[in-house]
Amino acid sequence: IHTANTLCFCFLQMNANDCHDPPKYWTIHGLWPDRAEDCNRTWHFNVTEIKDLLSDMRHYWPDVLHSSLNRTQFWKHEWEKHGTCAATLEVLNSQKKYFGKALELYQHIDLNGCLLKAGIKPSSSYYKMTAIKEALTRFYGVTPKIQCLPPEEGEKAQTIGQIEFCFTKGLQLVNCTALEGESNPMQAHLKLGTSELSVCNDTLPTYYPSEVQ
C-alpha cells in the first residue's frame, strides 16, 4: 500500500448529452491519492456505512452516468480504486471518513461561489484561460489543475470540464504541478462523448456553459 504524498480533489462539470439529469453546478469527481490505485481489493464498498451522508452525496457527488436505480456505482468505483488507498491516512481510514471528508472539502473550497465572486459564470461568450487561472490562484493562494474538452471540429474554443485541487497529507492546499501528458492517477479518468479531458490550453478561448453540450 502506498501512502499518498498529495491528494487530488476534483470538481466535475458533466456533459449534458452523456448524463441523466446533469446538475448545473460543480460536483465532486473524486478524492485521489497521487500514486496509488486499487490498494485493497478485498475492502468492498458498503453503502450502509455512509447512510448518514446520502442526502449530501446525492446532491454534491451525484452519479450522473448510471440510471437512477444504480447510482451507487460511481461511489463504489471511487472507493475501491482511490478510497482504499487514501485510507492509509487516519483522517480517511473508513468509508464514512473518506466520503465525509470529501464533502467537507467541497464545502470548504466552494468552487461555485469562488468563480461567481470572480465574475466567472456560465456564459455564451468566451473567457481567457489565463484569466480563470489567475482568479482561482488569487482566491485560493494555490494553482489548481484545469482540464478542458478540446474544440469541436470547426470551433475555436475549448470547454472547461474539470478542476482539480491538490492537498498535502495534512489536507493543506498546495499547488498542482502535474504537467500535461504525465502518467499519474490525477489524469482525467473521464471520457465525455468522443473527447477526453486534458489540461487546458492557455492560448485558446474558453467556453464555460451551464451544461457542457
Side-chain angles (χ1 to χ4, degrees):
I1 295 178
H2 301 281
T3 300
N5 291 320
T6 60
L7 291 162
C8 175
F9 186 64
C10 191
F11 289 85
L12 178 65
Q13 188 182 43
M14 282 299 301
N15 186 323
N17 297 327
D18 293 337
C19 286
H20 299 269
D21 307 316
K24 295 185 178 182
Y25 50 88
W26 290 92
T27 62
I28 300 170
H29 186 173
L31 178 61
W32 309 326
D34 65 348
R35 286 198 293 270
E37 296 182 6
D38 298 303
C39 288
N40 185 346
R41 296 186 180 183
T42 67
W43 196 352
H44 299 300
F45 175 70
N46 181 354
V47 72
T48 62
E49 292 192 26
I50 60 168
K51 62 182 184 300
D52 296 342
L53 306 175
L54 288 179
S55 178
D56 283 345
M57 290 287 291
R58 292 186 186 107
H59 186 73
Y60 302 118
W61 201 333
D63 182 342
V64 291
L65 293 179
H66 297 90
S67 71
S68 58
L69 297 176
N70 199 25
R71 288 196 169 180
T72 62
Q73 286 300 304
F74 187 19
W75 308 333
K76 178 180 184 293
H77 169 80
E78 291 299 311
W79 167 254
E80 293 181 356
K81 186 171 185 178
H82 302 294
T84 57
C85 301
T88 57
L89 301 178
E90 184 177 354
V91 71
L92 301 172
N93 67 2
S94 71
Q95 292 180 45
K96 187 167 185 178
K97 285 183 181 181
Y98 173 74
F99 290 105
K101 181 56 70 173
L103 291 168
E104 184 181 317
L105 292 174
Y106 177 95
Q107 299 289 357
H108 175 70
I109 293 174
D110 185 22
L111 182 60
N112 294 293
C114 164
L115 290 172
L116 192 59
K117 288 175 185 174
I120 299 169
K121 52 190 175 183
S123 172
S124 58
S125 58
Y126 300 137
Y127 291 96
K128 290 182 178 180
M129 177 49 59
T130 51
I132 295 173
K133 281 185 176 179
E134 286 169 5
L136 292 172
T137 301
R138 187 170 60 249
F139 194 89
Y140 294 107
V142 296
T143 304
K145 177 179 171 186
I146 308 175
Q147 295 178 329
C148 291
L149 292 169
E152 296 286 342
E153 188 173 351
E155 298 291 331
K156 64 178 181 179
Q158 61 191 348
T159 302
I160 191 169
Q162 184 160 272
I163 297 177
E164 300 177 13
F165 288 88
C166 298
F167 291 84
T168 66
K169 289 190 289 186
L171 298 181
Q172 299 298 310
L173 279 166
V174 293
N175 290 328
C176 293
T177 56
L179 301 174
E180 186 173 7
E182 271 190 350
S183 177
N184 67 42
M186 293 193 289
Q187 293 297 324
H189 295 299
L190 195 68
K191 191 167 184 175
L192 302 178
T194 58
S195 299
E196 284 194 21
L197 290 164
S198 59
V199 174
C200 300
N201 186 320
D202 282 351
T203 65
L204 290 178
T206 303
Y207 183 41
Y208 175 20
S210 58
E211 295 173 353
V212 183
Q213 297 297 327

